[in-house]
Amino acid sequence: EEKKEKNEYTFDDWYSKFLNLKNDKNHVNKALYFLEKALKNANTNEEKAKVIFDKALFYGNNISKEESIIIYDELIEKFNSSSEQKVLELISASLYNKGNEYGSLKEYKKSLIAYNELIEKFQNSQNKYILSTVLSGLINKLEINLFQNIENDKNDMNLFSKLIINDNSKLQHIEMLNIIKKGITQDVDDEIEIWKSKYDEVLKGWSFIELKTWVQTLEKDAKERVLRYIEIFENHNKNI
């Protein structure tokens, strides 16, 4: 294959170079350089949005969650009026990731704002990927409600019931949260056994870090009980 000069590199060339380095912690600056070059050579809104999204994701994983949020906001603002489905998918994913980043920083009010924006903007979408993202954001919102002792909104629960019909893989998540919430005041061992027998797949994409941090705020008896329940759910992934 004939070797290209750098001035002949296309968007795909630069983006491919970034992908080759994106998981290499020893070449963070070089990966960012390739990403910036890809952005300069992007020809479509989809390409531009994809690069900005990957930049935000890269910053969140390697450099700074705060700066990652700023970059997600840049994407959301820049393409807010777009009607292209692939771009809208990236906007929805940006709002979802923004909520996650705020959550990891324990800025739960800002996290809820991001999830609410995601839900409000995209709850009536016909795009399956976007609706799945909305459902994931909604579940994360319900988890934060648990942390903050906030009652779940009726409209949110109605939307959950609507979305779960076509994506019931996430039903186990909300049932787990409901069991944990109930476990604050009473034993729920029987309900956990029913849950375990009902679901023989792992809790995909679920992190227990926030739950384990939150449980430390409970009173002694409740803390010991709920922590044991959380560990049962966490071990469910390891035992399958």
Side-chain angles (χ1 to χ4, degrees):
E1 184 179 341
E2 187 176 343
K3 190 174 181 180
K4 288 183 178 179
E5 297 294 331
K6 278 190 176 181
N7 61 4
E8 298 177 319
Y9 283 178
T10 64
F11 167 83
D12 288 333
D13 294 323
W14 288 114
Y15 189 67
S16 178
K17 285 179 174 294
F18 162 72
L19 292 179
N20 289 335
L21 289 181
K22 72 173 186 174
N23 296 318
D24 188 342
K25 301 291 184 182
N26 296 317
H27 292 94
V28 169
N29 289 334
K30 185 175 282 189
L32 279 176
Y33 170 77
F34 291 149
L35 203 55
E36 291 297 337
K37 284 290 188 179
L39 183 58
K40 287 182 180 178
N41 286 271
N43 297 307
T44 66
N45 284 340
E46 182 182 339
E47 289 177 349
K48 292 172 185 176
K50 182 164 68 171
V51 170
I52 297 171
F53 180 84
D54 281 347
K55 182 179 178 181
L57 197 61
F58 189 80
Y59 263 80
N61 291 334
N62 298 282
I63 301 172
S64 163
K65 293 187 180 301
E66 290 86 354
E67 289 187 61
S68 173
I69 291 168
I70 292 172
I71 300 168
Y72 283 127
D73 279 337
E74 176 190 338
L75 187 155
I76 294 163
E77 183 177 350
K78 186 177 182 68
F79 299 102
N80 191 47
S81 60
S82 176
S83 59
E84 297 177 46
Q85 287 300 304
K86 291 296 183 183
V87 175
L88 292 175
E89 287 176 9
L90 290 166
I91 293 174
S92 69
S94 294
L95 287 166
Y96 175 74
N97 287 359
K98 182 179 167 183
N100 290 351
E101 296 290 31
Y102 274 129
S104 67
L105 294 168
K106 305 293 184 293
E107 295 190 44
Y108 293 124
K109 287 184 179 179
K110 292 181 179 179
S111 188
L112 287 175
I113 290 172
Y115 292 137
N116 282 334
E117 186 177 348
L118 166 64
I119 293 165
E120 183 177 346
K121 185 175 179 66
F122 291 110
Q123 62 181 308
N124 295 315
S125 172
Q126 300 300 310
N127 182 306
K128 289 183 178 180
Y129 174 89
I130 291 175
L131 289 178
S132 180
T133 304
V134 170
L135 180 56
S136 295
L138 180 55
I139 291 173
N140 286 2
K141 178 182 176 181
L142 300 180
E143 184 183 25
I144 291 175
N145 287 348
L146 176 64
F147 299 161
Q148 303 292 295
N149 196 27
I150 299 171
E151 281 298 316
N152 292 329
D153 182 79
K154 183 179 179 181
N155 290 331
D156 284 342
M157 299 314 298
N158 288 339
L159 177 60
F160 177 84
S161 297
K162 174 185 171 184
L163 294 178
I164 206 69
I165 293 172
N166 296 315
D167 192 3
N168 63 10
S169 64
K170 296 183 176 70
L171 187 58
Q172 63 184 136
H173 297 82
I174 193 67
E175 290 187 1
M176 177 190 70
L177 290 176
N178 287 337
I179 291 171
I180 289 173
K181 182 176 182 179
K182 192 173 179 180
I184 296 172
T185 57
Q186 59 187 282
D187 291 335
V188 289
D189 294 81
D190 290 343
E191 292 182 43
I192 288 181
E193 288 305 312
I194 293 171
W195 183 93
K196 285 167 63 180
S197 64
K198 183 178 179 181
Y199 297 110
D200 58 359
E201 65 268 14
V202 298
L203 285 152
K204 293 178 182 177
W206 190 270
S207 170
F208 289 87
I209 295 172
E210 287 82 4
L211 281 171
K212 285 184 170 181
T213 301
W214 158 75
V215 79
Q216 299 304 319
T217 66
L218 301 178
E219 297 293 330
K220 184 176 184 297
D221 289 345
K223 178 168 68 174
E224 291 177 357
R225 183 171 54 250
V226 174
L227 183 58
R228 179 168 65 85
Y229 295 148
I230 291 172
E231 289 173 348
I232 291 173
F233 285 119
E234 186 174 26
N235 288 329
H236 178 73
N237 282 2
K238 300 173 184 176
N239 294 331
I240 292 176

